[in-house]
Amino acid sequence: MNFTQEQLQDWIACREKEMVEDIRRLVRVPSIAEQGTTEEAPYGAACKAVLEEMRQIGREKGFNTENHGNRLVSFLYGEGDREIGIWGHLDVVPEGEGWKYPPFDCTRVRGFLIGRGTQDNKGPAIAVLYAMAFLKEKGFRPEVRFRQILGCMEEQGMEDAEYYLAHEKAPDFSFVSDCRFPVCCGEKGILNLRIRSSKVTGRLENLHGGTAPNAIAARAEAIVRGKHFYAEGIAGHAAFPEGGKNALGVLCRQLLQAPGLECEPALKMAALLGSEGYGFGAGIACSDEKSGRLTCNLGTLELKQGRLEGELDIRYPVTKKAGEILKKLEGFLDDFGCEIIHQADSPPYFISSEDPRVQCLTDAYRQAMHVREPKPYTMGGGTYARKLPRTVGFGPGMPADLSDLDLPKGHGNGHGADEAQSIKNLQKAIEIYVYALLNLSNYYGNQEEIQGKEKAERAE
């Protein structure tokens, strides 16, 4: 394939306005997944609408599209026998509170797009599509079949990926465009737990806070004998506690100072779980060399029928076992008269950085970024990679300076208020994805050639 990096960059620059508008078309659909709706809209009307909008964008770029049970859409490029899956998602977490800009209107501010999904994961979905569109426009005929696959239940359990695998053949290799560059070779295990306390004192009349288990609570409030208590935190993703502050922990520590609540066990439990993001308060802190520290987030808490109910998001290292963590946590909760009433475990995964397909992706990052030795990594974030065979994470997250946006502290993150995406970073991601597709095509083309020669030699 003959083109220079400058020619690729010029092509991308000429389509900046078009790219921004395509992202805006998706962000304007508030595609928060719903459970248990109709077969025509299994994840709700908004998710069906965003899938159709994305499908229309794909058609406009000249790709054949497929609808998979109104749960996912896919775009095909190439006709090879081997298939490479490129996964992303179009559902988003709830908008939460405290936005400076409209969450579902994709505002452009000094080189950034602000809106729910610009980072996670609508902007990246468009970047991948544009990479395929560039190669298609240049007449490149890949040695493999590329399939971009976009679901709408990633943020709430990934049932969409399970549906796809139950009805379609898994790709020979996949990468997920829902993390940071260069290559994510592993993800921590994820425990999602619902916990419940014994009866609390009647002095506590109301308590609620948080929007989702995988988001650090930004606000929480309670009423004690008619007196209102309010706490603010710093929102963020549960998997990355650094810089976050859990409003639920702040609130519960306040309440423990209120008359009549000083010894309330359930509040003490919640205060410990919300005090920091690494499980020290619950006695479950641990780490390993491959994936780092366990994280533990009390994402929601609510007073229901005289008991506190909350949701925990625990990301545990790839070498640890969920059972070991649960045993310790159950002991901690029991000390405060609390229990686990629901649990779900998504085990960790890990692929060697020496895998040749991982090297194809690493080399693509090196080619576009002109860095010597980009190092694959592992993370606490949860993506489709943990549900799929032969899959890694690959971008497009890169560092971005948000200081010029004059946002409140903690704003701009993927699951926080004023979620922001750098346009330049997305454009660079398109470059990287172009090289990645070329490298993977060449790799599989060479494999076919080698296998053909070996077959011919055996026949002789």
Side-chain angles (χ1 to χ4, degrees):
M1 186 74 190
N2 293 320
F3 64 87
T4 65
Q5 187 173 17
E6 290 75 17
Q7 288 171 329
L8 172 56
Q9 290 171 343
D10 288 344
W11 184 93
I12 294 169
C14 288
R15 284 154 183 81
E16 179 179 313
K17 185 177 179 180
E18 179 185 349
M19 180 190 76
V20 169
E21 183 55 34
D22 284 339
I23 295 171
R24 181 171 287 120
R25 288 165 64 179
L26 298 178
V27 172
R28 283 177 172 169
V29 183
S31 49
I32 302 162
E34 302 174 23
Q35 295 276 6
T37 51
T38 66
E39 192 61 29
E40 290 74 24
Y43 304 145
C47 282
K48 182 180 180 182
V50 80
L51 289 171
E52 283 303 313
E53 189 66 39
M54 186 69 196
R55 199 174 179 192
Q56 180 58 34
I57 293 171
R59 291 192 194 102
E60 292 168 6
K61 303 295 184 287
F63 292 103
N64 293 327
T65 72
E66 293 186 22
N67 180 319
H68 304 276
N70 294 314
R71 292 165 171 83
L72 314 94
V73 296
S74 67
F75 309 118
L76 286 170
Y77 172 42
E79 300 178 349
D81 293 331
R82 306 251 187 176
E83 184 170 286
I84 304 299
I86 309 169
W87 294 74
H89 65 93
L90 301 174
D91 62 312
V92 296
V93 296
E95 65 269 32
E97 300 176 340
W99 286 67
K100 180 178 179 179
Y101 295 94
F104 296 111
D105 202 24
C106 194
T107 309
R108 182 167 182 165
V109 183
R110 290 186 283 279
F112 286 82
L113 300 178
I114 300 176
R116 179 60 84 221
T118 52
Q119 274 189 54
D120 189 14
N121 186 239
K122 295 174 178 180
I126 292 296
V128 169
L129 186 66
Y130 272 58
M132 294 199 303
F134 170 80
L135 292 172
K136 186 175 185 295
E137 185 177 309
K138 295 300 180 183
F140 176 64
R141 300 181 65 180
E143 300 285 347
V144 292
R145 181 173 64 255
F146 291 109
R147 184 188 292 271
Q148 185 180 17
I149 307 165
L150 300 167
C152 253
M153 187 53 89
E154 195 271 354
E155 296 288 5
Q156 297 188 44
M158 306 186 197
E159 185 272 345
D160 49 354
E162 295 171 1
Y163 177 92
Y164 187 90
L165 294 179
H167 292 81
E168 308 287 349
K169 181 182 176 183
D172 294 274
F173 177 73
S174 296
F175 66 83
V176 181
S177 58
D178 191 14
C179 59
R180 61 179 172 85
F181 284 124
V183 183
C184 179
C185 288
E187 294 177 4
K188 296 175 184 175
I190 301 179
L191 274 170
N192 288 125
L193 308 173
R194 179 170 283 277
I195 59 176
R196 181 173 62 196
S197 76
S198 54
K199 288 279 187 176
V200 299
T201 175
R203 294 180 178 86
L204 182 62
E205 300 170 21
N206 188 20
L207 186 152
H208 66 272
T211 59
N214 60 355
I216 298 171
R219 287 173 172 78
E221 56 187 313
I223 298 174
V224 180
R225 285 191 166 182
K227 183 179 180 181
H228 185 256
F229 289 79
Y230 178 78
E232 285 195 1
I234 299 174
H237 196 296
F240 311 104
E242 299 84 357
K245 184 179 181 180
N246 196 322
L248 291 168
V250 176
L251 177 68
C252 289
R253 289 192 293 274
Q254 286 183 22
L255 296 179
L256 288 170
Q257 305 301 313
L261 295 180
E262 304 95 329
C263 299
E264 179 58 60
L267 292 177
K268 289 184 176 181
M269 175 273 299
L272 286 169
L273 287 174
S275 63
E276 38 75 29
Y278 299 101
F280 288 103
I284 59 173
C286 60
S287 64
D288 67 16
E289 291 186 3
K290 287 183 177 180
S291 55
R293 292 193 283 179
L294 174 146
T295 61
C296 177
N297 181 61
L298 177 62
T300 67
L301 193 64
E302 182 180 9
L303 183 64
K304 297 176 68 173
Q305 298 179 338
R307 302 171 186 266
L308 287 180
E309 287 194 17
E311 293 176 290
L312 283 177
D313 179 296
I314 298 172
R315 315 280 171 122
Y316 59 93
V318 298
T319 60
K320 305 299 180 180
K321 301 295 183 183
E324 300 170 356
I325 295 162
L326 282 170
K327 185 176 180 180
K328 292 180 180 179
L329 184 64
E330 286 168 350
F332 164 79
L333 294 172
D334 187 60
D335 288 343
F336 295 95
C338 302
E339 62 180 342
I340 296 170
I341 58 175
H342 175 76
Q343 64 185 59
D345 177 38
S346 180
Y349 86 89
F350 185 78
I351 293 178
S352 171
S353 61
E354 301 302 317
D355 186 293
R357 294 161 299 187
V358 172
Q359 291 298 312
C360 286
L361 302 180
T362 305
D363 287 343
Y365 182 80
R366 181 186 295 112
Q367 287 171 267
M369 299 297 290
H370 304 292
V371 295
R372 288 187 177 181
E373 296 183 6
K375 294 182 179 180
Y377 65 96
T378 61
M379 71 170 183
T383 73
Y384 288 129
R386 67 180 54 249
K387 295 285 186 179
L388 306 166
R390 304 173 296 277
T391 304
V392 297
F394 188 52
M398 290 182 279
D401 183 1
L402 303 179
S403 58
D404 286 345
L405 298 179
D406 192 28
L407 295 174
K409 187 176 181 180
H411 286 220
N413 298 319
H415 282 194
D418 296 309
E419 177 178 340
Q421 173 66 67
S422 162
I423 294 173
K424 287 185 177 180
N425 281 0
L426 269 190
Q427 291 174 321
K428 179 57 71 171
I430 296 172
E431 285 185 55
I432 296 169
Y433 286 136
V434 165
Y435 291 125
L437 299 183
L438 289 172
N439 290 352
L440 288 168
S441 176
N442 291 337
Y443 168 77
Y444 278 101
N446 290 336
Q447 293 302 303
E448 295 290 342
E449 183 178 345
I450 291 169
Q451 291 171 7
K453 288 180 180 180
E454 291 176 345
K455 185 177 180 180
E457 289 171 357
R458 287 195 297 269
E460 293 175 357

